Amino acid sequence: MEETFDLKKLILQAMGARTKAYCPYSNYQVGAALLSSQGRVYPGCNLENASYGATVCAERVAFFRAVQEGEREFRAIAIVGGRKDQKIDSYAYPCGICRQVMKEFCGDDFLIIVAKSLEDYKVMTLGELLPHGFGGEQLSGA
Ligand code: THU
């Protein structure tokens, strides 16, 4: 797939965000870098809480930061995740709640990049990861 943005740079930014992860309970560090249609990048890391359910994923931190800055349209997100002090050996696919948050602001062609390294990554679309998702259009007329 031909990209019009620097995919490796976005992965690098997700790796940078991951270093900020606050995850004393799981020790699983996640970093995300969200690229807006305007070309700005919003990083996010996971933020855990002693009341576990209050934890927020890296992807949602990135989205909430971006929307708060006035962004509403997005092109891609890079995600990197793995246990603290260990080599990243698997792709960190976004959880269901994060996919639903993406669905709120992104179309089916929104790109989701999961990376183990700058050389080893997968590029998928939101349509692939959340087919037949529930969106605001279903509430119109309700
Ligand atoms: N986590 C994310 O940041 N993103 C996801 O999509 C899945 C999980 C975080 C939440 C928690 O801090 C840790 O990973 C373990 O679940």
Side-chain angles (χ1 to χ4, degrees):
M1 199 185 300
E2 190 69 34
E3 311 303 342
T4 55
F5 60 92
D6 191 338
L7 201 142
K8 286 183 196 285
K9 189 174 168 194
L10 201 62
I11 294 172
L12 209 54
Q13 286 164 307
M15 289 172 171
R18 181 170 171 261
T19 66
K20 307 282 179 15
Y22 175 74
C23 52
Y25 306 105
S26 73
N27 281 319
Y28 187 80
Q29 300 175 311
V30 186
L34 174 62
L35 177 67
S36 77
S37 297
Q38 299 195 48
R40 287 192 62 188
V41 174
Y42 298 85
C45 64
N46 53 330
L47 302 177
E48 297 190 346
N49 193 280
S51 177
Y52 298 165
T55 292
V56 186
C57 294
E59 298 92 318
R60 275 178 286 150
V61 169
F63 265 91
F64 297 159
R65 286 181 71 174
V67 173
Q68 203 282 326
E69 292 296 322
E71 299 276 10
R72 290 289 172 86
E73 289 177 21
F74 303 97
R75 294 167 71 187
I77 191 167
I79 308 163
V80 180
R83 282 189 64 81
K84 192 170 179 285
D85 300 328
Q86 283 181 20
K87 190 176 182 297
I88 294 178
D89 58 4
S90 61
Y91 301 113
Y93 291 96
C95 80
I97 298 174
C98 289
R99 294 180 200 199
Q100 184 64 28
V101 168
M102 292 173 192
K103 167 88 181 159
E104 188 67 26
F105 297 103
C106 308
D108 280 350
D109 58 350
F110 177 67
L111 295 178
I112 298 167
I113 302 139
V114 286
K116 293 185 196 177
S117 70
L118 289 180
E119 283 73 44
D120 185 350
Y121 57 83
K122 279 192 192 186
V123 183
M124 282 154 302
T125 64
L126 181 58
E128 287 171 321
L129 290 188
L130 188 65
H132 309 292
F134 183 82
E137 67 279 2
Q138 261 142 307
L139 296 175
S140 58

